[in-house]
Amino acid sequence: MRLITIYLTLLLFLNKIVAQQFEIADQLNTTHHKISFSETLNANYTSVDTKVRDYGAKYNSSNELAEQILKDFTLKKERIRALYTWICLNIHYDMDALTNKQTEISFSYTSKADFNSKIEAVNSNIITTTLQSKKAICEGYALTFKRVSEYLGIPCVLIGGFTKGKASDINNPTLTENHAWNAVKIDKKWYLIDTTWGAGYFNGNRWVSQFDDFYFFTDPKQFALTHYPTEKEWLLREDNLTKKQFYNTPIYKKSFFLNKMKLISPNFGLLKVATGDHISFLINKIPENTHLFYAYEGDKYSKKVELNCNNSQCNFAIPFKKNRDSVLYLFLNQQPILEFFVENKR
């Protein structure tokens, strides 16, 4: 007989924006880009979301929720969308669990089958607690999504891996997984889904519940800029992106993708710059009636970027006047789009 102790480590994995950035954003009349149903939802799912909003939070078991979805929707994509929307609207991030940091679970087992059975019991308990309390961390979100997907007859996997959401993560890989998400298979194709990130965001030490459909069927190329799976096959990309490359890229914010932007250079998130030098950038042409702003960590106000544009691209340079390492934030109007860590070449 063997004894195993499992540590369920609760790590902060969503984008926690530093206090200085919120001050800068306040000057731009926002602290976070607000996402409304009418603003970003794919029109194909509007009726699904409307129906699911009427469900409320009454479902306390996986099979009850699955039965309701099966009753109301026929197409697999509509069913999985209904599940995504319900979880994002009704499961809230468990800040108490985050504060407690770690839960220890110990059990003995006599065989691989016995081990798997007890792990399944642990997972089932997490799912039950998630649905009854309407609170979870990423593991609870992803396990619940997987369980209900299975009741819906849709293949689903739980993916463990790494996320980066702030400049201090750049070039600083962690050895321990810090997030969990899902992939579902519909019509012979796999789709990536993150219900935790779709349910809201952190504002300082406070969780703000806010539905966001960006993390439903996210483009794998975009998803891989913020999520890196332990098993590389779940990148769902043809290129061979490494974990080191993942951590070396800048911090991409959702608004960067929503505005169809492309960063041509620099390609690295860590920039080594001497005081008094300029940092050169090349991007695709930004949307009409928008402006680019920048600010460094600790700045009270952002500054407008002067762009030099041709038909398809824009270049610009940002001065570096700090005498220490800093974080560079780029904004499109009021929306944060990119972060870089700037190392002072003393």
Side-chain angles (χ1 to χ4, degrees), residues 269-332:
L270 175 62
L271 307 177
K272 298 182 180 181
V273 186
T275 302
D277 285 352
H278 286 70
I279 306 170
S280 297
F281 292 85
L282 182 63
I283 61 174
N284 67 326
K285 196 169 184 179
I286 65 175
E288 292 185 8
N289 302 317
T290 60
H291 300 282
L292 204 63
F293 296 84
Y294 77 92
Y296 286 98
E297 182 180 13
D299 290 351
K300 286 288 186 179
Y301 300 95
S302 61
K303 297 180 180 179
K304 186 177 178 181
V305 172
E306 296 299 327
L307 298 173
N308 297 307
C309 301
N310 56 28
N311 291 332
S312 61
Q313 296 180 346
C314 296
N315 65 77
F316 58 94
I318 294 177
F320 181 64
K321 299 180 180 180
K322 303 291 183 180
N323 294 314
R324 53 177 173 77
D325 297 345
S326 188
V327 177
L328 172 62
Y329 306 102
L330 293 183
F331 301 86
L332 187 69

Side-chain angles (χ1 to χ4, degrees), residues 8 12-13 27 31 59 61 67 72 82 97 103 112 135 139 141 153 164 186 210 227 234 259 294 324 335-336 344:
L8 303 178
L12 179 59
F13 47 82
Q27 302 302 329
T31 57
Y59 300 101
S61 71
E67 287 173 2
D72 289 339
T103 299
K112 182 177 180 180
K135 293 181 180 180
E139 188 176 39
Y141 280 94
K164 59 181 178 63
I186 299 176
Q210 183 172 284
H227 297 63
W234 294 113
N259 285 284
Y294 77 92
R324 53 177 173 77
Q335 307 166 18
N344 188 8

Side-chain angles (χ1 to χ4, degrees), residues 181-194:
W181 59 94
N182 300 98
V184 295
K185 189 177 184 181
I186 299 176
D187 298 330
K188 299 181 180 180
K189 182 178 179 179
W190 286 99
Y191 296 90
L192 295 167
I193 288 173
D194 189 341

Side-chain angles (χ1 to χ4, degrees), residues 164 170-171 243-250 267-270:
K164 59 181 178 63
I170 295 172
N171 206 32
K243 184 180 175 183
K244 181 178 180 180
Q245 290 172 328
F246 168 76
Y247 274 101
N248 284 346
T249 58
N267 296 315
F268 297 101
L270 175 62

Side-chain angles (χ1 to χ4, degrees), residues 159-162 175-179 181 228-234 243:
I159 302 170
F162 310 87
L175 298 177
T176 305
E177 291 182 358
N178 63 2
H179 195 42
W181 59 94
Y228 192 86
T230 300
E231 297 180 10
K232 290 179 62 175
E233 65 181 289
W234 294 113
K243 184 180 175 183

